[in-house]
């Protein structure tokens, strides 16, 4: 099992432990990843044993901190589906154009692929002055829309070689540069997408001025020296022990590379707290994180 497959498998197991998935559904999703019943049972048991009591509650506020929906929704811009030539074929994405862009953002989705939530995030960035491209990392498999079952989309994502994902993200940066010339660029990712942001930095991406991984695990033994000029804002959640365990690794690599960075942990929040369509949505944490990202972009992207 690759590190990405392991990460997604653990996420499915924890979703069951936290009451977000039935045991039958968790086993079905794990089977799609190639995890047999015995191994899946052992994984669920291990995640249950390692779970802290305070992290087992998933009741969060689904009401936004301010009126008008999740942060940035009031000024959000509609997205348009686009395609462009990638390193191994056509890539798909959702494009949101700011009227007078101060910069541009590559948005990298969670392990469910490019869905309406991620499209809305791209639109929200455009509404605050940053043109945004939400890339579909399942483009090589026909795109997220080709999967009727979101669990199958997740399984397909888990099998994408990291080098291919990095190449596609770099192609997304190429497309951003073409559409928004002479502006600084950033990458923002959520969950698996947060992990992809770390991988992009680890691979070396000097064209970025800022990067914001949301609750994404850092790769093993990362080296960010080829991305040393990128200003990194890492967002974590206090109840997300699994991802938080990698925070010291990310911090050490950022310090070693001499990068400008800030790592923030939102209190009383769990993994995926920014996703307003999910059961772990935390309106207060989402609003605070959104403001922190806007402040970061004002300093390093505009």
């Amino acid at each position: 099992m690759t590190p990405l497959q392991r990460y997604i498998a653990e996420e499915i197991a924890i979703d069951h432990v936290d009451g977000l998935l039935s045991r039958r559904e968790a086993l079905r999703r794990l089977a799609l990843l190639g995890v047999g019943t015995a191994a899946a049972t052992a994984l669920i048991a291990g995640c249950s044993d390692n779970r802290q009591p305070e992290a087992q509650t998933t009741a969060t506020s689904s009401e936004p901190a301010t009126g008008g929906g999740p942060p940035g929704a009031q000024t959000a811009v509609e997205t348009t589906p686009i395609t462009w030539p990638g390193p191994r074929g056509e890539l798909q994405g959702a494009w949101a154009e700011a009227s007078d862009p101060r910069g541009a953002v590559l948005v990298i989705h969670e392990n469910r692929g490019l869905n309406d939530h991620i499209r809305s995030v791209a639109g929200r960035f455009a509404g605050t002055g940053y043109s945004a491209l939400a890339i579909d990392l399942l483009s090589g498999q026909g795109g997220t829309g080709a999967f009727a079952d979101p669990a199958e989309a997740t399984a397909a994502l888990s099998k994408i070689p990291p080098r291919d994902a990095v190449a596609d993200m770099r192609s997304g940066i190429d497309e951003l540069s073409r559409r928004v010339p002479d502006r600084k660029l950033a990458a923002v990712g959520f969950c698996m997408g947060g992990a992809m942001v770390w991988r992009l930095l680890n691979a070396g991406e000097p064209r970025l001025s800022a990067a914001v991984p949301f609750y994404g695990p850092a790769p093993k033994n990362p080296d960010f020296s080829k991305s040393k000029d990128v200003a990194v804002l890492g967002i974590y959640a206090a109840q997300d022990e699994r991802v938080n365990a990698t925070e010291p690794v990310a911090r050490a690599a950022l310090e070693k590379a001499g990068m400008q960075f800030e790592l923030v942990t939102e209190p009383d929040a769990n993994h995926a707290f920014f996703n307003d369509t999910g059961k772990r949505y935390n309106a207060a944490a989402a609003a605070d994180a959104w403001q922190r990202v806007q402040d970061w972009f004002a300093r390093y992207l505009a």
Side-chain angles (χ1 to χ4, degrees), residues 102-107 125 128-132 184-189 209-212 214 231 233 290-302:
R102 293 180 284 168
V105 184
L106 182 71
V107 181
F125 276 121
T128 60
Y130 303 99
S131 292
K184 293 180 179 179
L185 307 177
V188 177
S209 294
V212 184
F214 271 75
L233 174 64
W290 179 255
Q291 187 59 54
R292 288 179 183 274
V293 174
Q294 296 302 314
D295 293 345
W296 198 257
F297 282 0
R299 291 172 62 186
Y300 298 107
L301 193 61

Side-chain angles (χ1 to χ4, degrees), residues 8 33 40-42 44 50 68 70 92 117 121 142 153 168 174 183 238 251 264 275 277:
I8 292 176
L33 295 180
T41 300
I44 289 172
N50 292 333
Q92 304 176 26
H117 165 65
V121 172
D168 287 349
D174 292 340
R183 291 291 185 272
R251 181 183 296 275
V264 176
N275 188 337
T277 69

Side-chain angles (χ1 to χ4, degrees), residues 71-126:
Q74 288 181 314
T75 58
V77 172
E78 289 292 326
T79 63
T80 302
I82 64 168
T83 60
W84 69 96
R88 293 171 312 284
E90 186 177 82
L91 290 173
Q92 304 176 26
W95 169 246
E97 186 173 9
S99 57
D100 184 17
R102 293 180 284 168
V105 184
L106 182 71
V107 181
I108 308 167
H109 55 69
E110 301 169 323
N111 64 25
R112 292 168 178 80
L114 178 56
N115 55 22
D116 287 343
H117 165 65
I118 294 299
R119 292 186 187 92
S120 78
V121 172
R124 287 184 249 167
F125 276 121

Side-chain angles (χ1 to χ4, degrees), residues 54-55 57-61 236-240 244 265-274 279-286:
E54 63 269 22
T57 177
T58 60
T60 59
S61 171
Y236 295 85
Q239 296 176 4
D240 191 7
N244 292 349
T265 300
E266 292 289 348
D268 303 319
N270 208 332
H271 187 73
F273 70 79
F274 193 81
K279 294 182 179 180
R280 291 194 181 107
Y281 177 57
N282 185 307

